[in-house]
Amino acid sequence: QVQLVESGGGLVQAGGSLRLSCAASGSIFSINVMGWYRQAPGKQRELVATITTGGITNYADSVKGRFTISRDNAKNTVYLQMNSLKPEDTAVYYCKCVVRRAFSSPWSDYWGQGTQVTVSS
């Protein structure tokens, strides 16, 4: 199986910073896109940022210029540096990895368990 373990969430005041990490482990042959999503109470899960194996990034308009996604391919880990946090960034943040478990296996999505980020005003 594949496990994604997230860390780094917490409570921070508006304007502050947090850094999220997500480490993938288990039966992994290759990881394609890695990304972060978030879900606020009463809202649908939404994309925050993604990064390809080659480092091409994509961001939601709401976080551009404030959040930075990066990855360490050797460690199968993706990071999300969040600066200038706003109360509307409050949500459970989930990482997602597109993983192939063997050379002949199809690509599949795996999700982390989520980490709470709370930004106080």
Side-chain angles (χ1 to χ4, degrees):
Q1 262 294 3
V2 175
Q3 298 83 36
L4 303 183
V5 179
E6 298 144 339
S7 61
L11 173 64
V12 65
Q13 289 188 333
S17 298
L18 284 174
R19 188 187 192 216
L20 305 183
S21 299
C22 174
S25 63
S27 179
I28 297 172
F29 176 78
S30 180
I31 301 178
N32 193 342
V33 178
M34 307 179 84
W36 290 94
Y37 294 73
R38 67 186 181 187
Q39 187 167 18
K43 294 188 177 181
Q44 290 188 332
R45 191 173 297 188
E46 63 177 3
L47 179 146
V48 176
T50 61
I51 184 168
T52 67
T53 305
I56 297 173
T57 58
N58 179 53
Y59 295 94
D61 287 342
S62 59
V63 306
K64 282 181 181 177
R66 300 188 298 121
F67 291 10
T68 302
I69 189 170
S70 61
R71 64 190 283 174
D72 185 330
N73 292 327
K75 295 182 178 179
N76 289 338
T77 299
V78 61
Y79 306 95
L80 186 68
Q81 177 66 43
M82 304 185 294
N83 298 329
S84 302
L85 282 161
K86 305 175 181 179
E88 50 263 43
D89 294 319
T90 295
V92 178
Y93 283 69
Y94 299 89
C95 71
K96 186 185 88 170
C97 295
V98 182
V99 175
R100 194 163 56 173
R101 297 179 61 186
F103 177 77
S104 58
S105 298
W107 294 99
S108 300
D109 292 349
Y110 291 88
W111 290 86
Q113 79 286 356
T115 185
Q116 178 70 46
V117 171
T118 302
V119 184
S120 63
S121 56

